[in-house]
Amino acid sequence: MSIPTSDSTYRVRERRSAVPAYGPIEAAVGFVVFYAVFDRVTPTVVDVLTDAVSDLSASAVGFGLASFLWFVLAVTIIDQTRRQLAALGIVDADPGWQFTSGPATLSDRLAIQYLAVSLVSGLLAAWTFERAMTALASTIRLVATQDTSEFAVGEALWMVGFFVGAGVAAYALDRLLIGVIRTRRGG
């Protein structure tokens, strides 16, 4: 026999089960990957921009890139803070964002699946990282010189493998760890 509950009680229960909101682990891993990529391609970008614009100094380009990196970090922190506050009901959520973008608690089967996916895709990202960074640096140079005749599709596949692997690993790790936190907190 089910006991009827009011709509507001259901919404409070649904919101509590969505705390913490999904996303902070994925954002942190994503920023670390972004930083690693950024660190690797910065010398190439500096070389390309200083060659293209003769009055531009390498230190100015480096400062601009470092400022952009800090901007991305600030936006990431603000977005994740807003998501957590929205899950708590302190601020309004974006209309397109739902609190329950995954299960409120984590089953053992789903935890094993998330663990396996994060391990396999993390290994893919680690395995393709060096080749992907080399391919990205050469792609930046090719785009700057507008000489796409030397573009190799195989090199692009290394980049795709790295970015897809890193993204899927970050997503699965976030769902796993936040799901474990929700499950431990809830029960």
Side-chain angles (χ1 to χ4, degrees):
M1 173 182 230
S2 66
I3 300 173
T5 60
S6 70
D7 189 40
S8 63
T9 304
Y10 176 74
R11 273 189 256 129
V12 168
R13 222 179 270 140
E14 181 181 83
R15 185 164 286 173
R16 283 186 51 104
S17 67
V19 175
Y22 287 120
I25 309 295
E26 184 177 10
V29 171
F31 185 77
V32 167
V33 168
F34 177 72
Y35 177 80
V37 170
F38 206 78
D39 185 51
R40 281 304 200 77
V41 299
T42 294
T44 303
V45 173
V46 169
D47 287 345
V48 165
L49 288 178
T50 54
D51 288 346
V53 182
S54 60
D55 294 339
L56 197 58
S57 70
S59 61
V61 174
F63 177 75
L65 291 173
S67 299
F68 178 69
L69 185 65
W70 282 104
F71 173 75
V72 169
L73 178 63
V75 168
T76 302
I77 290 171
I78 290 168
D79 179 59
Q80 289 306 312
T81 302
R82 182 198 51 80
R83 282 176 157 253
Q84 298 305 318
L85 292 175
L88 290 169
I90 296 172
V91 298
D92 289 332
D94 284 344
W97 183 70
Q98 297 179 358
F99 291 108
T100 55
S101 58
T105 58
L106 197 60
S107 68
D108 290 341
R109 180 175 180 216
L110 194 55
I112 291 170
Q113 289 173 349
Y114 281 141
L115 179 63
V117 167
S118 65
L119 287 174
V120 169
S121 54
L123 286 172
L124 173 67
W127 179 61
T128 58
F129 178 74
E130 289 298 326
R131 293 281 304 264
M133 293 306 100
T134 303
L136 185 58
S138 66
T139 301
I140 290 170
R141 287 191 189 283
L142 289 175
V143 169
T145 60
Q146 298 177 352
D147 180 22
T148 56
S149 64
E150 295 182 30
F151 182 75
V153 175
E155 296 298 312
L157 292 177
W158 285 102
M159 289 188 293
V160 169
F162 169 71
F163 286 113
V164 168
V168 170
Y171 177 87
L173 188 62
D174 181 72
R175 295 312 187 261
L176 175 67
L177 295 178
I178 297 299
V180 166
I181 291 169
R182 286 180 177 183
T183 301
R184 297 281 183 217
R185 185 185 54 79

